[in-house]
Amino acid sequence: MAWMVLLACLPWWTGLPSMLALAVIQATRSPYLQPYAGALRRALRWGLAGLLIASYLAFDHRALGLTLTMLAALVGFSLLVLLESWQDRRSQRNAALAAASPEWREMAMAPIGPAETLIELLPPTWLPVDGAEPDIRMIDAHRCRIGADACIEHVEPQLSMAPGQRWLAMPMTAWQGVVLYDREHRKQYRLCGWQLYGWHAGEAWLNRHDDQPPLALSHVLGQDVFGDTSSS
């Protein structure tokens, strides 16, 4: 109220620059002046009232002065309400964005990159072909028959079955590679230079050397040149 009385006593053209300066400061929303945001709002409201009183007193013709003062009050307070509403919406939007964003502590402690998946391979168990299953038998030293139709040649009489028994693995002659047989689709895959390392989720994992990490069969078939022979 003291600010209003001061501006009412001063000429209107003296208080107008002060009010414009306060409006600019309020609109810029300087971080250094955020603690004084409430005081700036009150200074604009009461200062505008004092400026209107000073402008009314500046007119000799009271009727004309009253009309112009009322018009200036309508325009001035409307602009002031728009300024405050814009600032309130902006503050609410910033608060909502800050609430939706994770805290910096959470971001700092969050793991970087995709989550790791631990894969435990079941080592292969090699069994003699004869006696493993009734429909699997050796018909020659390096020839194996599966069921009534499938015949796998140039293999050792050793057999490893995946969990679920969909896949069969047999080492090639002299362990020069491995033959994988898909019993569901009746297909065999001859992979020269690869050895069965283990089983995981019913899929074979293979490697070429002991110092090489094993790869899943789907990855090997996508990279390596292999033979795909349907059973006959």
Side-chain angles (χ1 to χ4, degrees):
M1 294 183 66
W3 173 244
M4 179 187 67
V5 173
L6 177 62
L7 290 183
C9 296
L10 293 175
W12 67 269
W13 47 266
T14 303
L16 181 60
S18 301
M19 291 298 298
L20 292 177
L22 288 175
V24 171
I25 294 173
Q26 184 74 357
T28 55
R29 293 179 58 87
S30 175
Y32 301 103
L33 298 177
Q34 287 303 313
Y36 309 102
L40 288 174
R41 284 195 175 189
R42 290 190 296 271
L44 278 173
R45 294 171 184 172
W46 290 101
L48 180 58
L51 183 62
L52 292 173
I53 295 173
S55 63
Y56 171 74
L57 297 176
F59 285 93
D60 295 333
H61 195 282
R62 298 303 181 185
L64 179 60
L66 180 60
T67 302
L68 295 178
T69 301
M70 294 297 294
L71 181 61
L74 178 62
V75 175
F77 280 106
S78 298
L79 294 177
L80 185 59
V81 169
L82 289 176
L83 175 62
E84 292 181 356
S85 299
W86 171 74
Q87 289 181 330
D88 292 339
R89 287 197 300 269
R90 185 176 178 183
S91 299
Q92 293 175 0
R93 183 172 63 253
N94 293 339
L97 292 176
S101 302
E103 294 288 341
W104 69 269
R105 295 181 182 86
E106 298 177 2
M107 297 176 64
M109 297 299 295
I112 300 176
E116 296 181 356
T117 302
L118 181 63
I119 298 176
E120 296 184 1
L121 298 179
L122 179 66
T125 300
W126 295 103
L127 301 173
V129 172
D130 292 334
E133 285 194 5
D135 61 338
I136 304 176
R137 64 189 185 278
M138 296 296 295
I139 59 177
D140 199 350
H142 299 290
R143 180 183 296 179
C144 176
R145 182 173 294 278
I146 301 176
D149 301 327
C151 183
I152 304 177
E153 300 183 354
H154 308 294
V155 292
E156 297 288 341
Q158 300 285 331
L159 176 68
S160 178
M161 290 184 290
Q165 301 184 356
R166 171 187 169 181
W167 285 91
L168 303 178
M170 303 184 67
M172 296 174 61
T173 306
W175 296 80
Q176 296 179 357
V178 65
V179 178
L180 293 169
Y181 181 74
D182 184 357
R183 303 175 74 176
E184 181 177 337
H185 297 93
R186 297 184 179 183
K187 289 185 178 181
Q188 56 179 281
Y189 302 89
R190 306 184 68 89
L191 301 172
C192 297
W194 291 90
Q195 301 296 331
L196 179 64
Y197 190 89
W199 302 99
H200 174 70
E203 185 178 18
W205 286 65
L206 311 108
N207 68 336
R208 289 185 181 272
H209 309 287
D210 293 337
D211 57 348
Q212 180 191 38
L215 300 175
L217 175 62
S218 56
H219 185 77
V220 173
L221 296 183
Q223 287 189 346
D224 199 68
V225 178
F226 61 92
D228 177 3
T229 307
S230 301
S231 60
S232 59

